[in-house]
Amino acid sequence: YRIKVRVVCARAYHALFMNNMLIRPTQEELENFGEPDFTIFNAGQCAADPHVEGVGSGTSVAISFERKQMVILGTEYAGEMKKGVFTVMHYLMPRAGVLSLHSSCNEGPDGDVSLFFGLSGTGKTTLSADPSRLLIGDDEHVWTENGVFNIEGGCYAKTIDLSAEKEPEIFNAIRFGSVLENVIYNPRTHVADYSDRSITENTRCAYPIEFIPNAKVLCVGGKPQNIVLLTCDAFGVLPPVAKLTPAQAMYHFISGYTAKIAGTEEGVTEPEATFSACFGQPFLVWHPVKYAQMLARKMQENNVNVWLVNTGWNGGAYGAGKRISLKYSRAIIDAIHSGELQDAEYSTYGIFNLQIPTAVSNVPAKVLDPSRAWEGTTEEFNGTISKLAHLFLANFKKYADKATPEIIAAGPRL
């Protein structure tokens, strides 16, 4: 399934970035490289011509599957190259009968594999970088008949508010050879300030996966046993963890929900729902239901457990409640991997009809049920959860024509 990629760029850091992010060929492979399967031309310092048909601004990121080329104009954000390759793989892999996934992946001591789906800011990279498990990859994978493999050879981690205490594996991976992007540093000491948001909230670091001490190289694993769908719910009404039925798993996978919060993007003043099909809509080439159907078959064939994990707000919406503690999210993931949640007692939660555990080790029981944790009035809670439910239902209408009745019925019930 591997393809050969050539990068032609004007900036050295772009070349280093892609060397970090893609699977690095051996010297022998380089000498026998031949013609590439796909070529990226990155001229991001040059603006695109908005008078050209199909170009609406000075920024253009264009892919031609016919020419097997990608051209980048008007943006120097290095992530465009990485995501371009992912888009190509999202086209090629389903054609080859295997499933491409916007997910991170790790492996336990007994060889059990977990996939983590989630949009930016939900904790996909953070929660998969677990010192007790081997990291297979943090963003892009393919699920075949034999198991999973990482499309990439590196990690692209968010660094906003990064610290050695909270995320030691990522913090220590930032060293010579890594690429920091949009990060401000002291010009005298060259010490990075990971709290500085003066350029953007989207500060990043690209490093080879070997810089993570417990990375599994080669980055391949067996068939997944657990799938975690991550969301950052800024409305404060989704539970920190819920066990999903197969139909619910498909509904939430196709929905791909998270929320933007005030301060992260210009013009966002209150929590704003964001839906990105299959947790990666910008990279999808086929209809989202095609990827969902392939995932459903994999889940059924391998009897996979699927969990919805909210790393967002609890006790109230953004501005009133608090972000769920990272230590609680880690404890929930540990309980999934230990089998504790497989044998837990569950209760039915609200109009989303989710099964939530009554207890999880090292997580306060009150936190597990957002209706109990809510610090405002009951009317405020009911209004907020109804608002989010309506947003889910409105979003899913665009996929209802290709979804089964069971999947449609797995959504919120008003």
Side-chain angles (χ1 to χ4, degrees), residues 86 90 99-103 115 117 139-143 295:
F86 191 32
H90 256 327
L99 178 59
S100 48
L101 302 165
H102 185 211
S103 69
L115 291 172
F117 292 89
D139 199 44
E140 302 173 8
H141 293 83
V142 172
W143 191 345
L295 180 61

Side-chain angles (χ1 to χ4, degrees), residues 310-369:
N310 173 27
T311 60
W313 270 255
N314 191 259
Y318 174 80
K322 293 182 179 179
R323 185 88 188 249
I324 295 169
S325 171
L326 180 57
K327 68 179 180 181
Y328 295 158
S329 296
R330 289 196 189 280
I332 287 167
I333 299 301
D334 288 344
I336 289 171
H337 289 146
S338 70
E340 176 188 336
L341 285 187
Q342 185 68 20
D343 303 321
E345 290 186 8
Y346 287 84
S347 61
T348 302
Y349 174 70
I351 59 180
F352 278 85
N353 198 35
L354 297 170
Q355 296 299 302
I356 63 173
T358 56
V360 177
S361 296
N362 301 312
V363 181
K366 183 179 177 181
V367 171
L368 296 172
D369 185 340

Side-chain angles (χ1 to χ4, degrees), residues 122-162:
T122 58
K124 185 158 46 72
T125 298
T126 298
L127 292 174
S128 59
D130 184 332
S132 65
R133 297 172 66 84
L134 296 176
L135 179 68
I136 294 175
D138 82 324
D139 199 44
E140 302 173 8
H141 293 83
V142 172
W143 191 345
T144 71
E145 293 301 314
N146 300 317
V148 293
F149 67 82
N150 189 353
I151 291 172
E152 302 179 308
C155 301
Y156 194 35
K158 286 178 76 74
T159 59
I160 197 69
D161 295 326
L162 180 69

